[in-house]
Amino acid sequence: MAKPQASRGREVRMTKYTLKIDGMMCGMCEAHINDVIRREVAKAKKVSSSAGKGVSTFVTDGVVDEERLKKAIADTGYTLVSMESEPYVKRGLFG
């Protein structure tokens, strides 16, 4: 089976988002935040959260509406303190 390729030879640009979230205390809190991210960011991948660090991360090639995500997180009982983004560089097996 062939690997999916970007249309017309263009590389798909992914962005990594790091969210600072206040209020996560346990693994269930992490799961709640992960569910919100997956629901609000349709193309979110590699979604993970750490209650100990108060951080959630995900990667996407889609558009992220920060205000919508902030409201969805608040509706779940947590606070989105900040959101940063950076280009995502996929690392190979040896690099």
Side-chain angles (χ1 to χ4, degrees):
M1 190 159 155
K3 282 175 87 174
Q5 295 182 6
S7 62
R8 306 241 176 218
R10 288 181 299 192
E11 181 180 327
V12 175
R13 304 231 184 243
M14 302 290 282
T15 303
K16 177 182 178 182
Y17 288 88
T18 303
L19 313 176
K20 177 75 175 152
I21 298 177
D22 191 32
M24 286 193 295
M25 306 296 274
C26 64
M28 187 57 74
C29 297
E30 294 169 353
H32 288 152
I33 293 297
N34 291 346
D35 289 345
V36 169
I37 292 169
R38 287 186 186 105
R39 184 179 68 236
E40 297 299 323
V41 182
K43 294 185 175 185
K45 298 179 182 0
K46 297 183 180 263
V47 179
S48 68
S49 296
S50 169
K53 294 178 183 177
V55 172
S56 294
T57 60
F58 65 93
V59 175
T60 186
D61 65 346
V63 176
V64 177
D65 182 339
E66 184 174 352
E67 288 304 312
R68 179 178 167 175
L69 187 56
K70 185 175 188 174
K71 181 181 181 328
I73 290 171
D75 289 348
T76 310
Y78 306 94
T79 304
L80 175 59
V81 177
S82 66
M83 184 165 106
E84 297 178 1
S85 64
E86 63 186 280
Y88 174 71
V89 179
K90 185 175 180 180
R91 296 203 166 41
L93 183 60
F94 299 105

